[in-house]
Amino acid sequence: KSLKDLERAIKSHKIAKLSRFGKKSEENILAGIEMHKKRKARMYLGEAYPTAQFLVSKLKNLREIKTAIAGGSLRRMKETIGDIDILVVPRNNDRATISKIMNYFTTLPEVDHVLAKGSTKSAVVLKSGVQSDVRVLPEISFGAALQYFTGNFDHNVKLRGIAIKKGFKLSEYGL
């Protein structure tokens, strides 16, 4: 009925006895519960901003990165922040450079857990419990991506509607 009930069932090894479950399933579920407990739903701007600035400065220290900037609700200076979105433009748009950037970001000492690691986006949970995402994109798309990832959902829907009425397609990659 609740996470506490599930946690108790795991600790008493009731889950492992279920069909298609075992000890490894219990370990994985328990790890997920622990991660959920650590993750904050939202954090105040005063806490998120320095964290974002620190991450951006760490990324800018990597010579493969031309530009790194925080976007999302943090860039809009909302009172509370759900996650920290960082947009990155590499000096070279080749696979090796982007891979190095993603490896660097996902192995920072501040990272507690990697949620996803891809060729254009990686998501991590920091030791503070906040999620941070990095998106690597070509310089030609930077302005459109910054607008897209900074605007809230309703704003982006409205802008897309305007673009469609004028015969255009608007996305994070451009107009």
Side-chain angles (χ1 to χ4, degrees), residues 4 11 15 151:
K4 282 185 181 185
K11 289 181 178 176
I15 301 298

Side-chain angles (χ1 to χ4, degrees), residues 124-169:
V124 301
V125 175
L126 303 173
K127 290 180 180 169
S128 64
V130 69
Q131 181 175 329
S132 181
D133 301 344
V134 161
R135 292 179 186 270
V136 177
L137 49 121
E139 188 166 22
I140 196 166
S141 299
F142 182 71
L146 186 59
Q147 184 283 133
Y148 178 84
F149 289 110
T150 298
N152 67 24
F153 179 79
D154 292 335
H155 176 76
N156 285 329
V157 168
K158 188 82 166 171
L159 286 180
R160 279 189 184 155
I162 293 169
I164 289 168
K165 284 180 184 173
K166 295 183 179 243
F168 296 106
K169 178 184 174 194

Side-chain angles (χ1 to χ4, degrees), residues 7 12 38 40 51 73 103 108 114-115 117 134 139 173:
E7 195 170 8
S12 64
K38 286 175 85 174
K40 298 176 184 176
T51 301
S73 54
N103 288 335
L108 286 171
V114 177
L115 298 173
K117 183 177 169 188
V134 161
E139 188 166 22
Y173 300 106

